[in-house]
Amino acid sequence: MSLLEVEDLTVHFKIRRGLTRKSIDTVHAADEVSFSLERGTTLALVGESGSGKTTVAHAILGLNKPQKGSIVFAGRDLLALSRGTQRTARRGMQVVFQDPYSSLNPRMTVHDLVAEPLRVGSEISGDALRERVVELLEMVGLGTQHLWRRPHEFSGGQCQRIAIARALALSPDLMVLDEPTSALDVSVQARILTLLHRLQIELTLSYLFIAHDLAVVESVASAVAVMYLGKIVESGPTATIFEDPRHPYTLALLASVPSPDPDRRSAGAALSGDVPSAIDPPSGCRFHPRCKFRMDVCDQEIPPLEDRDGRRIACHLPRDFDLSAEQEAARAARSTAVVEDRQRSRARPRGDETPVPKMPRRW
Ligand code: SF4
């Protein structure tokens, strides 16, 4: 059985105005989103800004209230439980946010930041608590010399390590990683990704990885779900989606990987225009105003998400429609970006962490 099974998850937000807080509109942030995550694996949710990735993650974490659907975590349907029982059941899932500086309280020491979830969610105290805090810091590559420092004394990479140690405190099964490396520079990103990979193997963690960097997604995820305007348009094993993308939005997303070489920027034109408003999403297929393959049926009928060619896909295009030219453009854009990314990484000085001042050791 999967560790996490999300079925038909729908999250709408009301826009209210005036003294009476009258509802004047509805934001369709996520509509009938379905996916599953196996134990010990990584599922990446990808898509442009406004596609609903973070809304789905927040619904799983209990930070917003879905209108419809189910979230089955470790065999229990969270949305069918009372609030108190939901809180207990969600101890098995933790989150790491994008910005390590704003996710840590600047007034607290590292010791208190990591000890806080243990004080709230476990029985341990005193020496056992300190030992557990040190153990968690060592798991993420920090040591006792860091215990009494505050977040402003650390680099971005070190702060993200503290955030990871804090997330590991209650021994979760699932970690929701909300763009955990996008605020870090390239060499630090690589170290954090290596750390996450090691922790996943050692602790059999499952990751729901939210990202827009497709090169990172390809290297860390075993499965990918592509979202557009609140809906999953294509999902499946990473190798299948990256080597043989079939949905026009996935193809455009892969072909739009930016390249610093001006001679290679033509591929970026694959995805033109902005994501339409989620307040009034387009009829039929939500991608139809930007899709170069749209047909008459596309703005009239919502394409169902169905199993096809080793993945799930929502598109009216016939199974044998020739997409080889677009697939080739997507592959070329990806390989160029990967080569240039490696060259940039090699050009950077190694060593991620900024020097930190020596502080007196208090225990
Ligand atoms: Fe394009 Fe139509 Fe497929 Fe939507 S359903 S992606 S508009 S071809």
Side-chain angles (χ1 to χ4, degrees):
M1 186 209 273
S2 306
L3 176 68
L4 177 71
E5 283 180 40
V6 174
E7 198 64 44
D8 280 343
L9 188 72
T10 299
V11 185
H12 292 170
F13 299 110
K14 296 271 183 223
I15 300 177
R16 298 180 189 278
R17 214 170 266 164
L19 283 174
T20 56
R21 311 297 299 146
K22 191 176 164 210
S23 166
I24 55 163
D25 253 319
T26 302
V27 178
H28 299 250
D31 265 318
E32 296 173 349
V33 170
S34 300
F35 60 82
S36 62
L37 171 60
E38 303 304 318
R39 204 174 277 275
T41 66
T42 300
L43 170 72
L45 277 184
V46 301
E48 291 166 283
S49 298
S51 60
K53 314 180 291 283
T54 299
T55 300
V56 170
H58 284 188
I60 292 166
L61 293 162
L63 302 177
N64 59 37
K65 197 169 182 311
Q67 277 66 46
K68 207 179 93 179
S70 65
I71 301 170
V72 178
F73 175 63
R76 301 169 87 184
D77 184 355
L78 299 180
L79 302 183
L81 302 175
S82 67
R83 281 177 80 86
T85 322
Q86 268 192 45
R87 208 171 301 135
T88 312
R90 281 198 171 94
R91 280 194 190 148
M93 57 172 80
Q94 297 294 325
V95 60
V96 175
F97 291 106
Q98 176 179 3
D99 182 354
Y101 288 109
S102 59
S103 66
L104 300 174
N105 185 337
R107 294 169 187 273
M108 293 171 77
T109 62
V110 171
H111 174 276
D112 290 343
L113 284 164
V114 179
E116 190 179 41
L118 293 165
R119 288 196 180 108
V120 174
S122 76
E123 304 280 294
I124 64 171
S125 59
D127 287 347
L129 181 74
R130 282 186 182 179
E131 275 167 30
R132 177 68 177 147
V133 170
V134 172
E135 183 190 13
L136 288 162
L137 288 180
E138 285 172 352
M139 281 164 74
V140 298
L142 298 174
T144 51
Q145 72 274 23
H146 299 113
L147 270 177
W148 306 108
R149 296 177 187 171
R150 289 185 166 76
H152 71 274
E153 297 171 66
F154 293 95
S155 67
Q158 286 174 315
C159 280
Q160 201 60 303
R161 285 170 194 263
I162 297 165
I164 294 168
R166 193 175 144 89
L168 291 173
L170 294 178
S171 306
D173 294 311
L174 170 66
M175 299 251 284
V176 176
L177 306 171
D178 190 356
E179 310 244 14
T181 56
S182 50
L184 307 174
D185 75 33
V186 178
S187 62
V188 184
Q189 280 185 20
R191 286 165 178 251
I192 295 295
L193 292 173
T194 306
L195 170 68
L196 289 168
H197 181 63
R198 180 171 61 73
L199 292 170
Q200 180 170 47
I201 292 169
E202 287 174 6
L203 306 173
T204 324
L205 290 167
S206 304
Y207 294 149
L208 181 61
F209 195 94
I210 295 164
H212 62 265
D213 186 332
L214 295 172
V216 169
V217 167
E218 190 176 8
S219 65
V220 303
S222 43
V224 179
V226 182
M227 288 192 73
Y228 182 77
L229 207 56
K231 281 186 160 291
I232 288 185
V233 295
E234 188 168 12
S235 65
T238 304
T240 306
I241 302 298
F242 277 77
E243 294 303 326
D244 180 35
R246 297 290 308 169
H247 193 282
Y249 178 62
T250 313
L251 283 160
L253 205 60
L254 290 170
S256 299
V257 173
S259 167
D261 181 349
D263 296 334
R264 294 180 187 270
R265 279 184 194 163
S266 55
L271 196 53
S272 59
D274 293 326
V275 181
S277 169
I279 294 175
D280 185 19
S283 60
C285 170
R286 291 185 180 183
F287 187 55
H288 84 257
R290 301 170 80 191
C291 180
K292 61 181 177 183
F293 301 109
R294 67 177 167 269
M295 304 167 287
D296 289 345
V297 67
C298 294
D299 62 356
Q300 292 159 19
E301 287 180 25
I302 299 172
L305 189 64
E306 57 190 15
D307 292 326
R308 203 193 298 171
D309 304 329
R311 90 273 324 266
R312 300 188 87 193
I313 185 167
C315 180
H316 290 305
L317 283 179
R319 175 175 258 153
D320 55 358
F321 191 84
D322 183 11
L323 291 163
S324 51
E326 283 69 27
Q327 289 177 329
E328 196 46 52
R331 274 187 216 111
R334 260 177 59 227
S335 55
T336 307
V338 167
V339 169
E340 282 163 359
D341 201 41
R342 282 191 189 135
Q343 285 167 346
R344 266 185 321 193
S345 297
R346 271 192 222 115
R348 282 176 174 274
R350 306 306 294 177
D352 60 332
E353 319 297 18
T354 50
V356 286
K358 267 211 172 312
M359 297 288 283
R361 189 173 159 190
R362 298 233 312 254
W363 69 284

